[in-house]
Amino acid sequence: MLNAERASFDPATPRHVAIIMDGNGRWAKARHLPRAVGHKRGADAVSRTVRACHELGVSCLTLYAFSSENWKRPVDEVSDLMGLLRLYLVRELDDLHRNGVRVRFIGGRERLDGDIVHLITQAETRTASNAGLLLVIAVNYGGRAEIVAASRQLAEAAAAGRVDPACIDEAAFEACLETTGIPDPDLVIRTSGEKRISNFLLWQAAYAEFVFTDVLWPDFGKEHLEDAIAEFRLRERRYGARSGG
Ligand code: IPE
Ligand code: IPE
Ligand code: MG
């Protein structure tokens, strides 16, 4: 974030915005284009959105790029999506780094191609000490798998006598999640008119505000992010307490 932008920081701006980027296929279908074109235009929307977050003073952006269930798609489509991720990292890393963006990935890496894992590690390492926008990209991510992995980690620690089960609390659990250290999302946006969570940030979104928009992801831009933030500002976050505190 530039100093001028920091100075204009608005406390009503969500600190962490998370987006379920949906609708690439329908965008392409409406134009009688191959789905791959929709995904390609979706990647352009990613670049626009990262820029917009900078400009609007959002400090963390999480993007759901590929779910652990997206492997169920035809091999060609999976390969197109992985190809775009590869291209994005190769093409945009310099720019992201120059703009002070810190990149972090969540999701299992074991099923990803070796060169993609390498690009991911490189992006994380190179940008690790940047102080601008934190860009979290969820690839092969599933909220349930993340919760199961955290449970297993704690169970193993307890079985080995390293953790007292009575001391396992929300903070201890959070420390085992892939998102540890990242504030919970304040605002979750899903494009394309679908109204479901599709295994995204199940634990972290416990008290997020949800905004659903009919805009298809390839059409998403700064004005749509502004609209979602405007809607977020109208919400009263009660966290279970009574209205007015
Ligand atoms: C989002 O667009 C991209 C991913 C889920 C990876 P879709 O490909 O899901 O587009 P629709 O939902 O079929 O329109
Ligand atoms: C959710 O979109 C996953 C991503 C945006 C990466 P999907 O299009 O895969 O979700 P469903 O299948 O409609 O729930
Ligand atoms: Mg979809």
Side-chain angles (χ1 to χ4, degrees), residues 19-27 189-196 198 211-220:
I19 308 183
I20 303 175
M21 311 182 287
D22 201 8
N24 296 353
R26 278 162 283 168
W27 184 93
I189 300 170
R190 184 170 186 148
T191 57
S192 88
E194 305 294 350
K195 295 179 181 67
R196 55 180 170 270
S198 298
V211 170
F212 299 102
T213 167
D214 287 338
V215 173
L216 301 172
W217 178 249
D219 290 327
F220 195 85

Side-chain angles (χ1 to χ4, degrees), residues 12 186-189 207-213 227-239:
D186 302 292
L187 169 62
V188 174
I189 300 170
Y207 271 104
E209 295 295 332
F210 282 75
V211 170
F212 299 102
T213 167
D227 288 348
I229 292 176
E231 193 171 331
F232 170 85
R233 290 189 173 127
L234 298 174
R235 306 277 176 89
E236 187 194 1
R237 303 183 79 188
R238 288 190 288 273
Y239 301 98

Side-chain angles (χ1 to χ4, degrees), residues 7 23 64 75 81 84 95 97 123 146 152 164 180 198 208 215 234 245:
Y64 203 8
V75 181
L81 287 164
L84 279 169
D95 247 25
H97 186 46
E146 183 189 31
R152 185 182 305 124
D164 175 358
T180 183
S198 298
V215 173
L234 298 174

Side-chain angles (χ1 to χ4, degrees), residues 7-123:
S8 65
F9 176 74
D10 177 347
T13 298
R15 187 157 58 145
H16 181 175
V17 175
I19 308 183
I20 303 175
M21 311 182 287
D22 201 8
N24 296 353
R26 278 162 283 168
W27 184 93
K29 192 168 180 213
R31 288 161 182 77
H32 307 286
L33 292 167
R35 288 179 72 85
V37 179
H39 293 316
K40 159 97 198 35
R41 296 292 292 268
D44 298 339
V46 167
S47 307
R48 282 198 298 275
T49 305
V50 169
R51 258 199 316 275
C53 280
H54 259 303
E55 291 163 7
L56 297 173
V58 169
S59 49
C60 178
L61 170 68
T62 298
L63 296 174
Y64 203 8
F66 191 91
S67 78
S68 48
E69 287 72 37
N70 286 146
W71 297 106
K72 294 176 192 164
R73 296 191 180 201
V75 181
D76 281 2
E77 184 170 359
V78 169
S79 151
D80 287 340
L81 287 164
M82 292 298 159
L84 279 169
L85 174 62
R86 202 176 262 125
L87 204 67
Y88 180 80
L89 287 173
V90 169
R91 280 204 190 148
E92 306 272 333
L93 185 59
D94 281 350
D95 247 25
L96 292 169
H97 186 46
R98 202 172 316 117
N99 288 314
V101 176
R102 182 155 56 105
V103 186
R104 185 161 151 183
F105 282 79
I106 55 172
R109 300 189 186 178
E110 64 295 331
R111 266 183 95 169
L112 305 180
D113 286 349
D115 70 308
I116 293 192
V117 175
H118 178 71
L119 286 169
I120 285 177
T121 316
Q122 192 182 45

Side-chain angles (χ1 to χ4, degrees), residues 160-179:
R162 283 181 278 117
V163 164
D164 175 358
C167 295
I168 297 176
D169 56 9
E170 290 185 11
F173 199 86
E174 200 277 332
C176 296
L177 296 173
E178 296 182 65
T179 51

Side-chain angles (χ1 to χ4, degrees), residues 1-10:
M1 207 191 292
L2 300 173
N3 283 339
E5 285 159 352
R6 209 187 293 277
S8 65
F9 176 74
D10 177 347

